[in-house]
């Protein structure tokens, strides 16, 4: 009888844990601190991510306080979004907290200027996948979408899409450790180019964590584009 009672308790406990896990909301931290250029589209990006969280029943927190980067605090979140961050925004202890966050298998989303952040920290640049160099003027360009990888970020995009945005060139070609989602057709716009394979969106696994980056997100036109919403969602 005692053994049956213990078995019933264990079964009830695990049923509770499973039900609780099903109703636990995805928790996201959006970080938009800037120590360099500040994008005027940040407020629109916050509005977009607020709407996205409401539509998907996610919890979302917005911050520009680097002191939020402790492992105890970051451990609360399933995904971390760097929304047009720029410059050196984390001190050494905060950098270590971010690395420990990755070691827990968490997620990271870098939007546009996330590649213009922590430029002197090699771990970060390799994690994002590229380091910003320069850009031509804002203009339309053709994006070549690699639909073969069947990733959620591009499932609603056609093989060729046209966007108007600020097109980043990177210091070096994007690392080979990433999986390509979208590339720029450099013949479709004017100005500075990389003159090599010009990736603009990708994903990969890094140091235990999952990373998605998109070079889109400078202009209000892009932020308010339904395709961009689907690209992030």
């Amino acid at each position: 009888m005692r053994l049956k009672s213990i078995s019933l308790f264990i079964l009830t406990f695990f049923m509770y844990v499973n039900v609780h896990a099903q109703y636990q909301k995805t928790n996201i931290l959006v970080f938009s601190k800037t120590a360099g250029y500040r994008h005027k589209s940040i407020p629109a990006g916050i509005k977009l991510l607020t709407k996205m969280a409401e539509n998907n029943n996610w919890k979302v927190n917005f911050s520009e306080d680097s002191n939020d980067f402790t492992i105890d605090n970051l451990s609360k979140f399933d995904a971390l979004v760097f929304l047009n961050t720029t410059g050196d925004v984390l001190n050494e202890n905060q950098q270590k907290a971010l690395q420990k966050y990755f070691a827990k298998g968490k997620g990271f989303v870098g939007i546009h200027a996330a590649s213009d952040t922590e430029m002197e920290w090699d771990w970060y640049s390799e994690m994002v996948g590229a380091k910003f160099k320069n850009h031509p003027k804002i203009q339309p360009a053709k994006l070549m979408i690699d639909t073969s990888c069947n990733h959620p970020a591009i499932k609603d995009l056609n093989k060729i899409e046209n966007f108007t945005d600020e097109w980043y060139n990177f210091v070096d070609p994007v690392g080979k450790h990433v999986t390509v989602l979208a590339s720029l057709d450099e013949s479709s716009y004017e100005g500075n180019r990389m003159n090599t394979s010009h990736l603009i969106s990708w994903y990969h696994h890094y140091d235990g964590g999952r990373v998605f980056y998109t070079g889109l997100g400078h202009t209000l036109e892009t932020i308010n584009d339904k395709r961009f919403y689907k690209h992030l969602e």
Side-chain angles (χ1 to χ4, degrees):
M1 185 69 180
R2 178 182 172 82
L3 184 59
K4 287 183 178 179
S5 297
I6 292 173
S7 298
L8 182 60
F9 170 78
I10 293 173
L11 178 61
T12 304
F13 173 77
F14 279 107
M15 286 176 65
Y16 167 79
V17 170
N18 288 335
V19 170
H20 179 72
Q22 289 176 18
Y23 286 96
Q24 197 169 19
K25 291 183 179 181
T26 298
N27 199 7
I28 299 170
L29 176 63
V30 178
F31 188 59
S32 55
K33 181 175 180 178
T34 54
Y37 179 82
R38 186 166 183 85
H39 284 75
K40 294 178 181 178
S41 60
I42 288 175
I46 290 172
K47 184 177 179 181
L48 174 74
L49 292 169
T50 300
K51 179 182 178 183
M52 192 178 295
E54 291 173 352
N55 291 344
N56 289 279
N57 199 29
W58 299 336
K59 289 175 64 178
V60 63
N61 295 263
F62 298 93
S63 173
E64 296 204 352
D65 186 355
S66 300
N67 291 319
D68 286 338
F69 281 72
T70 66
I71 190 55
D72 287 342
N73 187 54
L74 292 181
S75 295
K76 301 173 186 175
F77 300 100
D78 303 296
L80 176 60
V81 180
F82 271 36
L83 172 61
N84 278 329
T85 50
T86 56
D88 295 329
V89 291
L90 303 175
N91 64 29
E92 186 175 346
N93 288 332
Q94 292 157 357
Q95 290 175 348
K96 289 178 180 177
L98 181 59
Q99 289 175 308
K100 289 178 181 177
Y101 165 86
F102 266 76
K104 289 179 176 288
K106 304 286 187 148
F108 177 92
V109 174
I111 298 175
H112 192 57
S115 61
D116 187 20
T117 303
E118 295 293 330
M119 302 285 277
E120 302 303 317
W121 185 19
D122 290 341
W123 180 92
Y124 177 88
S125 295
E126 191 168 313
M127 179 275 289
V128 170
K131 185 185 296 187
F132 167 76
K133 181 180 180 181
N134 56 34
H135 59 78
K137 65 181 181 180
I138 295 170
Q139 58 190 301
K142 184 187 297 181
L143 273 64
M144 314 301 291
I145 310 301
D146 188 354
T147 55
S148 65
C149 65
N150 198 33
H151 190 275
I154 56 171
K155 66 182 179 62
D156 294 303
L157 297 179
N158 298 311
K159 279 194 171 184
I160 298 176
E161 294 282 358
N162 291 285
F163 282 90
T164 297
D165 214 314
E166 181 182 75
W167 306 113
Y168 275 9
N169 295 308
F170 304 109
V171 173
D172 297 303
V174 177
K176 294 181 179 180
H177 58 289
V178 310
T179 300
V180 183
L181 295 174
S183 303
L184 278 171
D185 177 353
E186 291 195 329
S187 69
S188 67
Y189 66 93
E190 299 177 344
N192 295 333
R193 296 178 174 87
M194 290 190 66
N195 296 312
T196 185
S197 180
H198 194 156
L199 311 191
I200 204 66
S201 181
W202 55 82
Y203 75 96
H204 66 117
H205 289 80
Y206 186 79
D207 232 6
R210 295 162 287 114
V211 180
F212 166 75
Y213 173 82
T214 180
L216 293 161
H218 176 91
T219 64
L220 288 174
E221 180 179 343
T222 294
I223 294 286
N224 293 321
D225 192 312
K226 292 180 180 179
R227 294 172 300 167
F228 184 68
Y229 178 99
K230 290 292 187 181
H231 183 50
L232 291 183
E233 189 178 32

